[in-house]
Amino acid sequence: LRGRQIAFAQNNEFLGRVQRETERIHHIIRDLLDYSRQSPETELASETSDLSHVIDDAMNLVRPQQESKDIAIVVDVDPAVPLVLGPRHRLTQIVLNLLLNAVDALEGKGRVEVRAALSGDSVSLLVMDTGPGIAGEMMDKLFDPFTTTKPAGKGTGLGLAVTHAIVQGLGGSITAHNREQGGAC
């Protein structure tokens, strides 16, 4: 009976590894496809979405990763924020990519803030973390495809490139900087 328990445990561990690697491969392929399919502006900007729903969608996808760590994510959406241009699933992808990068930067402990506010006639979305910030040599190429600081097998370097392409396709802009109090925005 003991031998069967050990074999069962080993099989479960192996299946878990297979599942994690399959998911990793799926994400790499999805990122490559998303990057290669950059939608024309008219397609991206033909729908409007509620940014608070978009942020909720992204939070639901990040929550399992966040809960297993000592990470607090705080969301503040100004009620004055109107509907924004863009399909909900593409906007969710933007927020999700930014959240995942912020959570990864924290290495298991810290705080992420997501803020959305009306800024003149446009909407600002800020994703800020209390991590180590962005290395100076990375700042100029942060949104370039295949740029990553993650070890092999942990990231493709396409998340921010895809995010940049979607934001530009919507007629917006995206920037990154280090915060005075530490972390990145």
Side-chain angles (χ1 to χ4, degrees):
L1 184 64
R2 175 91 172 121
R4 285 183 185 214
Q5 288 174 330
I6 291 171
F8 183 73
Q10 288 173 335
N11 283 341
N12 276 346
E13 181 184 332
F14 177 73
L15 289 174
R17 258 187 287 146
V18 168
Q19 181 178 359
R20 285 189 301 276
E21 287 302 303
T22 302
E23 289 170 1
R24 186 178 68 80
I25 291 166
H26 169 77
H27 290 296
I28 290 169
I29 291 169
R30 188 199 70 217
D31 286 347
L32 285 167
L33 289 173
D34 286 341
Y35 187 73
S36 68
R37 281 190 205 135
Q38 296 173 17
S39 300
E41 264 182 54
T42 53
E43 181 185 329
L44 282 176
S46 63
E47 294 179 42
T48 58
S49 300
D50 184 324
L51 198 50
S52 62
H53 293 163
V54 166
I55 293 169
D56 285 344
D57 291 347
M59 286 293 298
N60 287 332
L61 294 168
V62 171
R63 190 164 287 118
Q65 183 178 3
Q66 171 220 350
E67 287 175 349
S68 65
K69 299 174 182 173
D70 188 16
I71 296 174
I73 301 179
V74 178
V75 176
D76 180 19
V77 178
D78 184 336
V81 170
L83 295 177
V84 294
L85 286 176
R88 184 170 173 169
H89 71 281
R90 298 295 268 171
L91 294 171
T92 299
Q93 184 176 9
I94 290 170
V95 177
L96 179 62
N97 288 346
L98 296 173
L99 273 172
L100 289 173
N101 276 5
V103 167
D104 283 349
L106 296 177
E107 296 180 348
K109 184 175 179 145
R111 177 182 169 101
V112 176
E113 293 179 49
V114 180
R115 291 188 198 156
L118 193 55
S119 182
D121 61 349
S122 47
V123 173
S124 294
L125 172 70
L126 302 175
V127 177
M128 302 169 282
D129 65 62
T130 58
I134 303 163
E137 67 272 8
M138 294 299 293
M139 198 62 79
D140 289 340
K141 53 187 174 182
L142 198 60
F143 299 107
D144 292 348
F146 308 109
T147 298
T148 184
T149 58
K150 296 174 186 167
K154 296 291 182 187
T156 60
L158 285 172
L160 289 178
V162 168
T163 298
H164 184 262
I166 296 169
V167 169
Q168 282 197 317
L170 292 168
S173 64
I174 183 169
T175 61
H177 64 272
N178 288 321
R179 301 168 64 200
E180 285 183 27
Q181 63 271 46
C185 178

